[in-house]
């Protein structure tokens, strides 16, 4: 009987010791959390809303650079660069990406964390682009990210907005042996706001003289569309674009005819060529030519040549 009582006493002691150990560990976790929270840098804010809050709004509206989110990001300025860079470089483990690539076939994009992370990354890059030269402190980090496959698209968008230094990096990437970097650069240069005298000739050469495989075609297409976005020197750009509707590749003829329409009245010199494309053997080319003719503001319908 004495042995049973001793055994019960030992069990009680062990349970008390375990409870105290649990409480000590819990207290340590809470204290560590409080310390991290105390020393964590205060996130910049505008009108009592944090930058992260504004970025969530910006993510759905960065095509509008005059809305309240754009105003807030400009007001916060360079103080927000660390957070923007952190959001640009957020990523998931390879196993998580594999899992969500599979689940993403059945689940909507809004539920896919990979999609959300990508969307936030693009929004952060667009925010840096919006800040322009004020974001120059991000230049060294962006230059390194530019030549990492996982980040080159967003880094190039950000670099395009910060001025001549960013443009120089993008022009170097435009001739890189890796087509992924060429494509990212060609795509982003359409968002540049300076150095057009350097950008336009480089994009024209890329659009005009690229290779013929699928990857090169993507780079050529990105360069051509960036020229449309810049919408500068149309007297130089339109004659080059007029070469595309006569290309042997139907896809090139189609986007060439379509892009000419983006210049509106400035592409009047392309009217005879587009009129001829109305009888192209490819239905997509004919449709693109018809739409472009409307956008160039033809007063009356153009009939295919007899």
């Amino acid at each position: 009987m004495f042995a049973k009582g001793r055994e019960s006493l030992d069990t009680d002691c062990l349970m008390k010791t375990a409870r105290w150990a649990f409480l000590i560990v819990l207290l340590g976790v809470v204290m560590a959390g409080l310390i991290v929270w105390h020393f964590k840098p205060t996130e910049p804010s505008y009108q009592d809303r944090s930058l992260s809050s504004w970025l969530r709004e910006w993510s759905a509206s960065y095509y509008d650079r005059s809305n309240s989110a754009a105003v807030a990001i400009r007001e916060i300025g360079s103080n927000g660069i660390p957070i923007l860079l952190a959001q640009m470089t957020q990523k998931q483990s390879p196993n998580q990406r594999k899992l969500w690539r599979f689940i993403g076939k059945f689940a909507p994009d809004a539920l896919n964390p990979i999609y959300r992370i990508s969307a936030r990354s693009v929004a952060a890059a667009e925010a840096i682009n919006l800040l322009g030269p004020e974001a120059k402190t991000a230049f060294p980090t962006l230059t390194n990210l530019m030549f990492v496959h996982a980040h080159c698209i967003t880094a190039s968008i950000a670099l395009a907005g910060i001025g001549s230094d960013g443009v120089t990096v993008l022009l170097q990437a435009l001739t890189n042996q890796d087509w992924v970097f060429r494509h990212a650069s060609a795509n982003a240069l359409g968002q540049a706001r300076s150095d057009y005298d350097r950008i336009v000739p480089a994009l024209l050469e890329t659009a005009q003289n690229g290779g013929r495989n699928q990857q090169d075609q993507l780079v050529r297409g990105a360069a051509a569309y960036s020229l449309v976005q810049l919408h500068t020197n149309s007297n130089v750009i339109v004659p080059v674009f007029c070469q595309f509707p006569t290309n042997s590749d139907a896809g090139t003829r189609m986007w060439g005819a379509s892009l000419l329409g983006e210049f509106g009245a400035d592409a009047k010199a392309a009217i005879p060529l587009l009129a001829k494309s109305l009888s192209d053997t490819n239905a997509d080319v004919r449709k693109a030519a018809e739409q472009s003719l409307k956008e160039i503001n033809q007063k009356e319908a153009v009939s295919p040549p007899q």
Side-chain angles (χ1 to χ4, degrees), residues 51 55 58 62 65 73-74 77-78 80-89 120-139 141-142 145 154-163 191 193:
L51 175 59
L55 284 173
W58 173 250
Y62 54 74
R65 299 205 162 195
I73 291 168
R74 287 193 181 100
S78 60
I81 294 299
I83 290 172
L84 295 174
L85 289 175
Q87 185 162 305
M88 278 183 60
T89 53
R120 287 197 294 266
S121 179
V122 172
E126 292 285 358
I128 293 177
N129 183 288
L130 174 71
L131 290 175
E134 192 175 353
K136 279 191 173 181
T137 54
F139 177 72
T141 301
L142 293 173
L145 292 175
T154 49
S156 61
I157 292 171
L159 283 166
I162 66 176
Q191 295 193 52
R193 287 173 285 171

Side-chain angles (χ1 to χ4, degrees), residues 224-300:
Y225 186 70
S226 283
L227 287 166
V228 171
Q229 286 182 291
L230 294 174
H231 212 313
T232 182
N233 294 340
S234 58
N235 60 321
V236 176
I237 297 171
V238 169
V240 173
F241 279 19
C242 283
Q243 299 176 22
F244 300 140
T246 61
N247 194 280
S248 59
D249 176 68
T252 300
R253 296 200 304 277
M254 187 272 291
W255 63 252
S258 179
L259 288 172
L260 281 165
E262 298 286 345
F263 284 90
D266 290 339
K268 284 186 176 180
I271 289 176
L273 181 64
L274 290 170
K276 186 176 180 180
S277 295
L278 291 175
S279 60
D280 194 277
T281 55
N282 185 279
D284 291 331
V285 177
R286 296 196 300 271
K287 184 176 179 180
E290 182 180 2
Q291 182 60 36
S292 288
L293 284 169
K294 291 179 181 178
E295 292 171 359
I296 297 173
N297 297 320
Q298 276 290 81
K299 292 182 179 179
E300 49 190 48

